Amino acid sequence: MHTPPRVLTVAGSDSGGGAGIQADLKTMLALGTHGMSVLTAVTAQNSLGVQGAWELPVEAVRAQFRSVVDDIGVQAVKTGMLSSPELVETVAGLLAELTVPVVIDPVGVSKHGDALLAATALDAVRTKLLPTATVATPNLDEVAQLTGVQVREEADMRRAAAAILAHGPRWALIKGGHLAGDAVDLLTDGDQEHWLRAPRHDNRHTHGTGCTLASAIAARLAHGDTVPEAVAAAKEYVTGAIAAGFRLGGGIGPVDHGWRLR
């Protein structure tokens, strides 16, 4: 009997199903892994935005993590919404005990511009969470939030990567999706550089892209890929998911996590 690689997501719930835990688990399944979850927060969320968010107690987060890791085990971990300093520090401490790849998506705001990370938690992200990362995957807004570096053109992405790497992750993936032109990302460990480019699709239904990309990287790392291999495969997967994104409700719809099945 074949047991697929096991991947754990530590993130918040998106009741609309496009991002967060829901997007993570769909991505993990689509990429041939067994997804497991530690829920950090519950949101009331739809295609129009986030109407409410409720953080889970630290004790509940720790208990979920221990239940999964101590019995089932994990081969990669991905983090998402960690809204408070207490949650960030708790999860960072748990991750520091592991020897498997960790993908840190330092979620700061939702697709609709709703804040998902308290300003008081930024220092804990910098000093506690980022040092646990095999790969950190900030978008340009999150780079600015964490480092103060403003990326206005592709040439600025090297400076952004250096600022993120200064906080301790082994690799930084700077996502340039907010820039004009092709969707270009920079993956670097400070020595190697990998520029990943994809055509920009004319589709506004892109909810969940960050969660999906980070989860896809974690899934490929659990399969045994190197970091550059995992990121390239994840980029190809999320590009297809964006192209197939579909309308839900009256706002921004999700990417299509099952696009390869259709």
Side-chain angles (χ1 to χ4, degrees), residues 131-212:
T132 70
T134 306
V135 190
T137 65
N139 63 29
L140 302 187
D141 290 336
E142 290 155 357
V143 167
Q145 193 177 34
L146 290 167
T147 70
V149 174
Q150 300 286 338
V151 177
R152 295 185 174 86
E153 57 187 32
E154 190 175 305
D156 298 328
M157 293 175 72
R158 283 193 177 97
R159 190 161 51 92
I164 290 293
L165 287 172
H167 292 295
R170 286 173 47 202
W171 292 81
L173 176 64
I174 307 301
K175 300 180 296 191
H178 293 169
L179 297 176
D182 287 349
V184 58
D185 304 327
L186 170 60
L187 173 70
T188 180
D189 63 355
D191 294 319
Q192 302 179 53
E193 266 190 12
H194 303 268
W195 291 89
L196 299 100
R197 301 178 186 276
R200 187 175 298 277
H201 294 287
D202 184 20
N203 184 357
R204 69 189 292 261
H205 301 304
T206 56
H207 184 49
T209 50
C211 304
T212 300

Side-chain angles (χ1 to χ4, degrees), residues 74-75 95-102 134:
V74 297
Q75 287 159 290
L95 294 175
E97 301 174 11
L98 302 181
T99 57
V100 301
V102 173
T134 306

